[in-house]
Amino acid sequence: MSTMKLKLNIDELTDDFFEETRLLGITATTKSYRFCWTINNMIGFDFRLNPDIEIHLQKKGRQYFFPVYQFNVPSSYLSHYIYHNQYDGEYLLPEFKHMDFLWLMKGEMMADDDCHTLIQAIRKINGVQLVAELTNEHIKNKGNLVF
């Protein structure tokens, strides 16, 4: 009897995860819970910490935990996720060390006008220094965002 080995194709899994997504990078001088609370109050979202999709990475023999906040748009397939990009000196996306938060929109493609309006609203939040859309081609470690 022969044993068959199955291999998970991580690149294919990552590509599927990033279908119909947009990603924003945000630099802000605030804690993640405070940032989400401000978004909820100023923009009208309802972000909640989702410990089930917290990102766990192991580097240099240490464990790193990156919290993820989630908001599902009612009557839509669109979900928003905010990742904290830094934990104890490590980065979820090391190529974007200057970004404190990563905002992923997934499930239903957000229109350019809606995304631009959201970016402008985020920029008005006190403590936000930078908001930029990140393209998939520039993300080297996008597999780190997959939950």
mmCIF file of all heavy atoms in Angstrom, residues 41-59:
data_model
loop_
_atom_site.group_PDB
_atom_site.id
_atom_site.type_symbol
_atom_site.label_atom_id
_atom_site.label_comp_id
_atom_site.label_asym_id
_atom_site.label_seq_id
_atom_site.Cartn_x
_atom_site.Cartn_y
_atom_site.Cartn_z
ATOM 1 N N ASN A 41 -17.206 55.552 16.130
ATOM 2 C CA ASN A 41 -17.955 56.745 16.508
ATOM 3 C C ASN A 41 -17.980 57.826 15.436
ATOM 4 O O ASN A 41 -18.980 58.516 15.292
ATOM 5 C CB ASN A 41 -17.384 57.324 17.807
ATOM 6 C CG ASN A 41 -17.776 56.468 18.985
ATOM 7 O OD1 ASN A 41 -18.948 56.327 19.290
ATOM 8 N ND2 ASN A 41 -16.800 55.854 19.620
ATOM 9 N N MET A 42 -16.911 57.971 14.684
ATOM 10 C CA MET A 42 -16.851 59.045 13.690
ATOM 11 C C MET A 42 -17.390 58.638 12.321
ATOM 12 O O MET A 42 -17.960 59.461 11.614
ATOM 13 C CB MET A 42 -15.411 59.556 13.545
ATOM 14 C CG MET A 42 -14.934 60.320 14.764
ATOM 15 S SD MET A 42 -13.329 61.081 14.511
ATOM 16 C CE MET A 42 -13.712 62.329 13.290
ATOM 17 N N ILE A 43 -17.174 57.384 11.945
ATOM 18 C CA ILE A 43 -17.557 56.945 10.600
ATOM 19 C C ILE A 43 -18.814 56.077 10.620
ATOM 20 O O ILE A 43 -19.445 55.865 9.609
ATOM 21 C CB ILE A 43 -16.372 56.223 9.909
ATOM 22 C CG1 ILE A 43 -15.147 57.150 9.864
ATOM 23 C CG2 ILE A 43 -16.731 55.806 8.492
ATOM 24 C CD1 ILE A 43 -13.910 56.529 9.265
ATOM 25 N N GLY A 44 -19.175 55.565 11.796
ATOM 26 C CA GLY A 44 -20.403 54.790 11.903
ATOM 27 C C GLY A 44 -20.241 53.304 11.654
ATOM 28 O O GLY A 44 -21.217 52.614 11.352
ATOM 29 N N PHE A 45 -19.035 52.785 11.772
ATOM 30 C CA PHE A 45 -18.807 51.356 11.641
ATOM 31 C C PHE A 45 -19.009 50.703 13.010
ATOM 32 O O PHE A 45 -19.235 51.393 14.000
ATOM 33 C CB PHE A 45 -17.388 51.080 11.142
ATOM 34 C CG PHE A 45 -17.195 51.335 9.657
ATOM 35 C CD1 PHE A 45 -17.885 52.327 8.993
ATOM 36 C CD2 PHE A 45 -16.303 50.583 8.942
ATOM 37 C CE1 PHE A 45 -17.700 52.560 7.639
ATOM 38 C CE2 PHE A 45 -16.105 50.807 7.582
ATOM 39 C CZ PHE A 45 -16.800 51.791 6.939
ATOM 40 N N ASP A 46 -18.906 49.387 13.059
ATOM 41 C CA ASP A 46 -19.052 48.662 14.319
ATOM 42 C C ASP A 46 -17.951 47.605 14.430
ATOM 43 O O ASP A 46 -18.227 46.411 14.496
ATOM 44 C CB ASP A 46 -20.438 48.023 14.412
ATOM 45 C CG ASP A 46 -20.717 47.449 15.793
ATOM 46 O OD1 ASP A 46 -20.078 47.895 16.774
ATOM 47 O OD2 ASP A 46 -21.553 46.538 15.888
ATOM 48 N N PHE A 47 -16.693 48.061 14.420
ATOM 49 C CA PHE A 47 -15.565 47.144 14.532
ATOM 50 C C PHE A 47 -15.548 46.507 15.913
ATOM 51 O O PHE A 47 -15.763 47.180 16.921
ATOM 52 C CB PHE A 47 -14.233 47.871 14.298
ATOM 53 C CG PHE A 47 -13.882 48.010 12.850
ATOM 54 C CD1 PHE A 47 -14.094 49.207 12.193
ATOM 55 C CD2 PHE A 47 -13.331 46.947 12.150
ATOM 56 C CE1 PHE A 47 -13.762 49.343 10.857
ATOM 57 C CE2 PHE A 47 -13.007 47.073 10.819
ATOM 58 C CZ PHE A 47 -13.228 48.275 10.165
ATOM 59 N N ARG A 48 -15.278 45.206 15.936
ATOM 60 C CA ARG A 48 -15.136 44.440 17.176
ATOM 61 C C ARG A 48 -13.895 43.566 17.060
ATOM 62 O O ARG A 48 -13.602 43.032 15.987
ATOM 63 C CB ARG A 48 -16.337 43.520 17.406
ATOM 64 C CG ARG A 48 -17.666 44.214 17.431
ATOM 65 C CD ARG A 48 -17.912 44.847 18.738
ATOM 66 N NE ARG A 48 -19.190 45.558 18.693
ATOM 67 C CZ ARG A 48 -19.643 46.272 19.658
ATOM 68 N NH1 ARG A 48 -18.949 46.413 20.752
ATOM 69 N NH2 ARG A 48 -20.789 46.895 19.557
ATOM 70 N N LEU A 49 -13.208 43.405 18.162
ATOM 71 C CA LEU A 49 -12.057 42.503 18.197
ATOM 72 C C LEU A 49 -12.553 41.084 17.948
ATOM 73 O O LEU A 49 -13.530 40.647 18.564
ATOM 74 C CB LEU A 49 -11.364 42.587 19.551
ATOM 75 C CG LEU A 49 -10.126 41.717 19.735
ATOM 76 C CD1 LEU A 49 -9.022 42.132 18.771
ATOM 77 C CD2 LEU A 49 -9.626 41.824 21.168
ATOM 78 N N ASN A 50 -11.911 40.368 17.035
ATOM 79 C CA ASN A 50 -12.281 38.985 16.738
ATOM 80 C C ASN A 50 -11.097 38.083 17.083
ATOM 81 O O ASN A 50 -10.207 37.884 16.256
ATOM 82 C CB ASN A 50 -12.677 38.824 15.275
ATOM 83 C CG ASN A 50 -13.222 37.446 14.975
ATOM 84 O OD1 ASN A 50 -13.001 36.495 15.732
ATOM 85 N ND2 ASN A 50 -13.927 37.315 13.871
ATOM 86 N N PRO A 51 -11.062 37.527 18.289
ATOM 87 C CA PRO A 51 -9.924 36.689 18.695
ATOM 88 C C PRO A 51 -9.803 35.393 17.891
ATOM 89 O O PRO A 51 -8.740 34.789 17.848
ATOM 90 C CB PRO A 51 -10.188 36.405 20.174
ATOM 91 C CG PRO A 51 -11.621 36.695 20.392
ATOM 92 C CD PRO A 51 -12.055 37.667 19.341
ATOM 93 N N ASP A 52 -10.876 34.986 17.209
ATOM 94 C CA ASP A 52 -10.837 33.757 16.407
ATOM 95 C C ASP A 52 -9.947 33.891 15.173
ATOM 96 O O ASP A 52 -9.481 32.883 14.638
ATOM 97 C CB ASP A 52 -12.238 33.344 15.972
ATOM 98 C CG ASP A 52 -13.114 32.932 17.144
ATOM 99 O OD1 ASP A 52 -12.561 32.510 18.185
ATOM 100 O OD2 ASP A 52 -14.353 33.037 17.016
ATOM 101 N N ILE A 53 -9.738 35.115 14.714
ATOM 102 C CA ILE A 53 -8.908 35.301 13.516
ATOM 103 C C ILE A 53 -7.615 36.058 13.819
ATOM 104 O O ILE A 53 -6.945 36.535 12.908
ATOM 105 C CB ILE A 53 -9.697 35.972 12.366
ATOM 106 C CG1 ILE A 53 -10.253 37.336 12.784
ATOM 107 C CG2 ILE A 53 -10.799 35.062 11.865
ATOM 108 C CD1 ILE A 53 -10.931 38.104 11.658
ATOM 109 N N GLU A 54 -7.269 36.160 15.098
ATOM 110 C CA GLU A 54 -5.996 36.787 15.481
ATOM 111 C C GLU A 54 -4.860 36.071 14.746
ATOM 112 O O GLU A 54 -4.863 34.854 14.605
ATOM 113 C CB GLU A 54 -5.805 36.659 16.989
ATOM 114 C CG GLU A 54 -4.519 37.274 17.489
ATOM 115 C CD GLU A 54 -4.406 37.160 19.001
ATOM 116 O OE1 GLU A 54 -4.248 36.026 19.499
ATOM 117 O OE2 GLU A 54 -4.485 38.195 19.669
ATOM 118 N N ILE A 55 -3.907 36.829 14.253
ATOM 119 C CA ILE A 55 -2.786 36.261 13.495
ATOM 120 C C ILE A 55 -1.668 35.891 14.469
ATOM 121 O O ILE A 55 -1.231 36.707 15.266
ATOM 122 C CB ILE A 55 -2.257 37.266 12.444
ATOM 123 C CG1 ILE A 55 -3.387 37.750 11.523
ATOM 124 C CG2 ILE A 55 -1.108 36.657 11.658
ATOM 125 C CD1 ILE A 55 -4.022 36.695 10.658
ATOM 126 N N HIS A 56 -1.220 34.630 14.387
ATOM 127 C CA HIS A 56 -0.117 34.130 15.206
ATOM 128 C C HIS A 56 1.064 33.856 14.278
ATOM 129 O O HIS A 56 0.937 33.106 13.311
ATOM 130 C CB HIS A 56 -0.490 32.814 15.902
ATOM 131 C CG HIS A 56 -1.659 32.940 16.817
ATOM 132 N ND1 HIS A 56 -1.513 33.093 18.167
ATOM 133 C CD2 HIS A 56 -2.991 32.964 16.574
ATOM 134 C CE1 HIS A 56 -2.705 33.193 18.718
ATOM 135 N NE2 HIS A 56 -3.619 33.120 17.770
ATOM 136 N N LEU A 57 2.194 34.448 14.574
ATOM 137 C CA LEU A 57 3.417 34.194 13.810
ATOM 138 C C LEU A 57 4.504 33.729 14.761
ATOM 139 O O LEU A 57 4.569 34.181 15.910
ATOM 140 C CB LEU A 57 3.897 35.454 13.095
ATOM 141 C CG LEU A 57 3.047 36.015 11.971
ATOM 142 C CD1 LEU A 57 3.720 37.250 11.391
ATOM 143 C CD2 LEU A 57 2.797 34.990 10.888
ATOM 144 N N GLN A 58 5.339 32.842 14.272
ATOM 145 C CA GLN A 58 6.490 32.417 15.056
ATOM 146 C C GLN A 58 7.739 32.798 14.279
ATOM 147 O O GLN A 58 7.933 32.392 13.144
ATOM 148 C CB GLN A 58 6.462 30.910 15.296
ATOM 149 C CG GLN A 58 7.574 30.477 16.219
ATOM 150 C CD GLN A 58 7.391 29.055 16.720
ATOM 151 O OE1 GLN A 58 6.353 28.454 16.563
ATOM 152 N NE2 GLN A 58 8.428 28.532 17.317
ATOM 153 N N LYS A 59 8.565 33.637 14.912
ATOM 154 C CA LYS A 59 9.811 34.092 14.312
ATOM 155 C C LYS A 59 10.891 34.042 15.371
ATOM 156 O O LYS A 59 10.647 34.420 16.525
ATOM 157 C CB LYS A 59 9.680 35.531 13.791
ATOM 158 C CG LYS A 59 8.770 35.700 12.607
ATOM 159 C CD LYS A 59 8.794 37.148 12.152
ATOM 160 C CE LYS A 59 7.965 37.329 10.908
ATOM 161 N NZ LYS A 59 8.000 38.697 10.413
#
